[in-house]
Amino acid sequence: QVQLVESGGGLVQAGGSLRLSCAASGLTFSRYHMGWFRQAPGKEREFVAGINLSGNKPYYADSVEGRFTISRDGAKNLVYLQMNSLEPEDTAVYYCTAGPLAVTPRSPYWGQGTQVTVSS
């Protein structure tokens, strides 16, 4: 059974930083793109960041480019999202996802989400 378990969310002031982690199990980690989406209240789920199989090609939404960094640790089956210069608009539930070719809203595997709240 595939499980993606997020951690690291919380409350932070604008301008601050958080690091999210996602622990993957039940899948061959090296065969999946990994990534993060987020969903704010009343809004659709949106792409945040993704990373390829080997971890050398991250890709980002324009809204987080230059502020967020995604990385993966193949030895530990972990994915990280380092979030710097956080803004109130970043407030959302953040979801970890895994997909065989890329991460998309139709990716087969999702975590339960972790809440990130940025106060102004």
Side-chain angles (χ1 to χ4, degrees), residues 36-40 43-48 61 63-64 67-68 83 86-87 89-95 110:
W36 295 89
F37 279 66
R38 67 186 181 187
Q39 188 166 20
K43 295 187 177 181
E44 293 187 355
R45 191 172 296 190
E46 65 174 1
F47 168 75
V48 175
S63 59
V64 306
R67 299 188 297 123
F68 291 11
M83 306 185 294
L86 283 161
E87 303 167 353
E89 294 74 22
D90 295 316
T91 294
V93 177
Y94 283 70
Y95 297 91
W110 294 85

Side-chain angles (χ1 to χ4, degrees), residues 44-113:
E44 293 187 355
R45 191 172 296 190
E46 65 174 1
F47 168 75
V48 175
I51 193 164
N52 67 335
L53 304 184
S54 61
N56 64 345
K57 293 184 179 179
Y59 41 102
Y60 301 96
D62 289 345
S63 59
V64 306
E65 181 84 51
R67 299 188 297 123
F68 291 11
T69 302
I70 187 171
S71 61
R72 63 190 293 164
D73 184 337
K76 298 180 179 179
N77 287 11
L78 289 169
V79 183
Y80 303 103
L81 185 67
Q82 178 66 43
M83 306 185 294
N84 298 329
S85 302
L86 283 161
E87 303 167 353
E89 294 74 22
D90 295 316
T91 294
V93 177
Y94 283 70
Y95 297 91
C96 178
T97 184
L101 299 176
V103 291
T104 76
R106 291 170 296 282
S107 292
Y109 303 118
W110 294 85
Q112 292 300 306

